[in-house]
Amino acid sequence: MIVELGHFALILAFAVALVQATLPLYGAAQRDARLMALAEPAALVQLILIAAAFGALTYAFVVSDFSLRLVTLNSHTDKPMLYKVAGVWGNHEGSLLLWVLSLALFGACAVWFGGNLPATLKARVLAVQGLIGAAFLAFLLFTSNPFLRLANPPMNGDDLNPLLQDPGLAFHPPFLYLGYVGLSMSFSFAVAALIEGRIDAAWARWVRPWTLAAWIFLTIGIALGSWWAYYELGWGGFWFWDPVENASFMPWLIAAALLHSAIVVEKRESLKAWTILLAIIAFGFSLTGTFIVRSGVITSVHSFANDPERGVFILMILAVFMGGALTLFAFRAGALEAKGMFSTISRESALLANNVLLAVASFVVFIGTIWPLVAEMLWAQKLSVGEPFFNAAFTPFMVLLALILPVGALMPWKRAEIGKAMRPLRGALALALALGLLAFALQTGRSALGPVGLALGAWVVLGALIDLWNRAGRGGLADKFARLGRLGRADWGKATAHSGLGVTIFAVAAMHAWAIEDIRVVNVGETFAVGRYEVLLKDATEVQGPNYTSTMAEMVVSRAGAEVVTLFPEKRVYPVQAMPTTEAAIDYGFARDLYLVIGDAQDSGGYAVRAYVKPFANWLWGGALMMAFGGMLSLTDRRYRLAAGARRAPAAQPAE
């Protein structure tokens, strides 16, 4: 009964989404306040209905209702409760339901926090959100219904993919979906502004919080996914340039560009057309990522490789929304004329360079991701675009971005001089170069990647701190510290996020340049060396888990004769799906991780063992958390929450 109610709630949500997508839009065109007012209750009712459907599906997973096809395919009675709940979104249909739930949540947030928006703009934003919701609810109901029943339910299910039975993967998808879907708000604001023909500083101020929220969620989701790949897959890496990884990374890059571009629109009323285009493209990349994950056209370790018919449906959604938005963009080109002028050397130019580098970097990732598909379609050739291409093609843009960032942040608006902007940064530049040269002198027989990464990371962090210090103005130390405490949260958030980027740049370079890897066959009782550490394989025993069997090794790590830690890596096998997984054992440290993996027993005796020393691995996750925390600080700033210009009425009605 509960499942049927959930299905019925989903059908009602589709009907409400159609009302939300049409009547308020017509009302805004006719200046009919009653029709425009329908948008708000429709958005709230849609959230309630989809939440009810999601709750019904969750209930079916929790009680192991195997009369539901989706539960049978993705759950099992012996599975721990956390993974029963995570199994709701650990599949195509359930994850799509979570997608539309997130979309409805953002629409409701526009109702709750959009009190300062003009009535026509708000109605149009919610109508566009309703149209997106209707499209994906149709996709869900007509091609991917999560509430299909089985005529003859089995006694037990097929279990969830063992790779997904992990806390990191339980929380990683919801954050990613909130990021993907959050960019729909930027898209809706862009389309609504194009319909009205009004793109100004107030619009930029309105769109920035939604973009920032989406960027924060994407940052957290990508970091969780990277961390999961690091400790779960057993190969010691954190980023494989997998198509699904790239699918989340591309909108993250475009969202970062959009955040900085909106600043120029807000402050100088320039780059309007570019900012609108970024808002459209950002959501376009989100839809592209949805296509990559769900169409089955690209093979990935963690994609929902489904039938191509679903991929065609998503392509239709992508074509309608992107084609419609870009057509509207072309018709409204006259309303996008820039008002503010700026010289070649200025903060506007620095932010434009930031945008170009981020956009081109995203395009490079897109080409590398989609090229194997294009080659197979056009020339029937199987191609693989891997890490060497992405590292070589992507890295130069990030290096240039890191070099420009501190200088651009200190430039004045409209017109600047490089010499004056560099003057406060001379000490930071000298210290960054000194750190890089010191690292180069201390390392032996290694590439320059580590020292260059250290110098770039230090340059970005020191530049962010100097920018923050300069905002405190002139005077004595006591006065400057007092003014620092009174700075807005957005200023502190900017410095924290930029510093997090610098820390991440250094950590990525360090892990690539200075990692130590050892792969060998080891017998029980044998000791081997990894860098400055000795590792003893003390024992290997069979362990029974709740829904798996495991070979668990006991490995003692020592240094200079003193025991450092005992680790217990595992090789698990899940009988229901007959699938092995690797559970790496990691000793997390401030400056390094000790990373041990036990493999299969060998016919000749012993076990395959992988051992790594990963320098500054935790700095990578720390840098990502700093970026997300910086975004949260900015989001809590009152200047972000209250749109500029919303408290004063516009001088004239917007053009239709």
Side-chain angles (χ1 to χ4, degrees):
M1 181 64 179
I2 291 178
V3 170
E4 277 68 31
L5 288 175
H7 190 188
F8 184 61
L10 206 58
I11 296 171
L12 285 179
F14 176 58
V16 172
L18 290 175
V19 172
Q20 181 183 334
T22 53
L23 295 183
L25 201 61
Y26 178 75
Q30 300 297 318
R31 291 295 193 272
D32 189 326
R34 292 173 301 174
L35 290 179
M36 287 192 291
L38 285 175
E40 296 191 17
L44 297 176
V45 169
Q46 189 182 166
L47 173 63
I48 293 170
L49 290 171
I50 296 176
F54 189 83
L57 186 62
T58 303
Y59 172 81
F61 270 85
V62 168
V63 301
S64 297
D65 182 358
F66 296 119
S67 67
L68 205 63
R69 176 179 177 273
L70 197 65
V71 178
T72 299
L73 294 176
N74 297 278
S75 193
H76 193 275
T77 53
D78 292 336
K79 191 166 63 173
M81 181 57 67
L82 172 63
Y83 305 130
K84 286 186 178 181
V85 175
V88 176
W89 56 80
N91 55 83
H92 167 72
E93 293 84 354
S95 67
L96 194 60
L97 182 57
L98 179 61
W99 210 102
V100 295
L101 176 62
S102 303
L103 187 69
L105 177 61
F106 271 96
C109 286
V111 175
W112 295 327
F113 303 111
N116 289 329
L117 294 173
T120 54
L121 180 66
K122 188 174 184 178
R124 285 171 170 139
V125 167
L126 289 174
V128 176
Q129 282 292 110
L131 190 59
I132 298 170
F136 276 93
L137 283 167
F139 180 39
L140 188 64
L141 288 168
F142 299 137
T143 73
S144 311
N145 191 347
F147 295 108
L148 294 179
R149 290 283 197 177
L150 293 175
N152 299 301
M155 293 298 295
N156 220 324
D158 296 341
D159 207 358
L160 179 67
N161 185 334
L163 286 175
L164 303 181
Q165 296 187 39
D166 180 86
L169 257 291
F171 299 106
H172 158 66
F175 278 103
L176 272 188
Y177 294 157
L178 287 169
Y180 279 140
V181 175
L183 291 174
S184 71
M185 288 299 299
S186 305
F187 175 82
S188 296
F189 268 93
V191 172
L194 287 172
I195 294 173
E196 292 204 352
R198 178 188 174 190
I199 298 96
D200 54 15
W203 175 86
R205 185 74 94 150
W206 286 319
V207 80
R208 280 177 65 197
W210 300 104
T211 307
L212 182 58
W215 182 85
I216 292 168
F217 286 125
L218 275 175
T219 303
I220 296 172
I222 290 171
L224 283 173
S226 176
W227 182 48
W228 168 81
Y230 174 68
Y231 72 78
E232 175 67 19
L233 297 183
W235 52 281
F238 59 91
W239 195 259
F240 193 62
W241 294 106
D242 179 270
V244 178
E245 291 175 329
N246 296 344
S248 60
F249 192 44
M250 290 183 290
W252 184 88
L253 291 168
I254 296 296
L258 175 57
L259 281 172
H260 292 85
S261 181
I263 296 173
V264 182
V265 178
E266 178 191 340
K267 300 292 185 182
R268 300 286 301 148
E269 296 230 8
S270 296
L271 304 184
K272 291 180 181 180
W274 176 249
T275 303
I276 290 287
L277 192 59
L278 284 177
I280 294 171
I281 291 174
F283 185 57
F285 271 131
S286 291
L287 294 179
T288 301
T290 305
F291 169 73
I292 288 173
V293 173
R294 300 171 191 281
S295 64
V297 298
I298 292 180
T299 302
S300 165
V301 68
H302 48 345
S303 66
F304 302 109
N306 282 285
D307 57 271
E309 291 181 4
R310 290 171 174 170
V312 171
F313 201 114
I314 297 173
L315 277 182
M316 292 171 59
I317 294 174
L318 177 64
V320 168
F321 283 101
M322 291 301 101
L326 292 174
T327 302
L328 188 58
F329 175 81
F331 276 115
R332 286 297 194 187
L336 304 176
E337 183 180 353
K339 294 182 180 179
M341 304 299 292
F342 54 89
S343 68
T344 305
I345 307 299
S346 62
R347 181 175 294 192
E348 293 95 326
S349 294
L351 288 169
L352 180 59
N354 158 294
N355 270 229
V356 170
L357 290 170
L358 287 170
V360 175
S362 182
F363 182 72
V364 167
V365 176
F366 175 74
I367 292 298
T369 303
I370 211 73
W371 188 250
L373 175 61
V374 174
E376 186 172 355
M377 289 175 58
L378 297 182
W379 303 294
Q381 292 183 354
K382 293 281 187 180
L383 296 180
S384 176
V385 179
E387 186 175 1
F389 165 80
F390 287 107
N391 288 344
F394 179 81
T395 302
F397 298 106
M398 293 300 101
V399 171
L400 288 174
L401 181 68
L403 290 173
I404 293 172
L405 189 59
V407 184
L410 290 173
M411 283 183 177
W413 295 102
K414 195 173 182 180
R415 186 174 292 106
E417 294 179 17
I418 289 288
K420 287 185 178 180
M422 280 296 301
R423 195 170 299 153
L425 293 168
R426 287 180 296 187
L429 179 60
L431 181 56
L433 289 174
L435 288 172
L437 291 172
L438 178 62
F440 187 76
L442 291 177
Q443 71 175 21
T444 55
R446 295 181 182 271
S447 72
L449 177 62
V452 169
L454 175 58
L456 280 176
W459 167 245
V460 173
V461 172
L462 293 171
L465 295 178
I466 289 171
D467 179 34
L468 189 65
W469 182 252
N470 282 355
R471 290 178 181 273
R474 299 180 179 179
L477 287 177
D479 293 334
K480 288 177 75 72
F481 277 113
R483 284 193 289 269
L484 277 175
R486 294 194 295 269
L487 284 178
R489 292 180 186 175
D491 296 317
W492 283 96
K494 172 187 171 184
T496 304
H498 286 182
S499 297
L501 176 62
V503 171
T504 302
I505 288 172
F506 163 64
V508 169
M511 289 183 71
H512 275 98
W514 298 330
I516 299 173
E517 177 181 358
D518 186 275
I519 304 173
R520 65 175 69 207
V521 175
V522 184
N523 293 303
V524 174
E526 185 179 347
T527 300
F528 63 97
V530 183
R532 294 177 292 177
Y533 299 93
E534 296 83 37
V535 181
L536 167 66
L537 178 56
K538 188 174 181 179
D539 197 8
T541 57
E542 296 299 317
V543 177
Q544 182 65 48
N547 60 334
Y548 62 84
T549 59
S550 169
T551 301
M552 178 183 290
E554 181 180 357
M555 306 181 79
V556 181
V557 181
S558 57
R559 180 178 173 184
E563 183 175 330
V564 175
V565 68
T566 300
L567 298 174
F568 298 90
E570 296 182 62
K571 183 75 172 185
R572 293 179 180 176
V573 176
Y574 289 77
V576 174
Q577 293 203 352
M579 181 175 178
T581 66
T582 299
E583 299 295 325
I586 306 172
D587 177 41
Y588 297 97
F590 180 75
R592 61 93 187 108
D593 282 357
L594 296 174
Y595 187 111
L596 299 177
V597 176
I598 187 74
D600 296 322
Q602 303 298 298
D603 294 337
S604 58
Y607 295 86
V609 172
R610 290 175 176 262
Y612 305 89
V613 178
K614 293 288 184 179
F616 301 101
N618 284 324
W619 290 44
L620 179 62
W621 328 125
L625 289 177
M626 285 177 67
M627 286 190 280
F629 181 67
M632 291 177 192
L633 280 178
S634 295
L635 198 59
T636 59
D637 193 309
R638 180 180 175 83
R639 292 171 293 176
Y640 267 81
R641 297 197 308 272
L642 298 178
R647 293 181 295 276
R648 60 179 185 273
Q653 293 291 346
E656 288 296 320

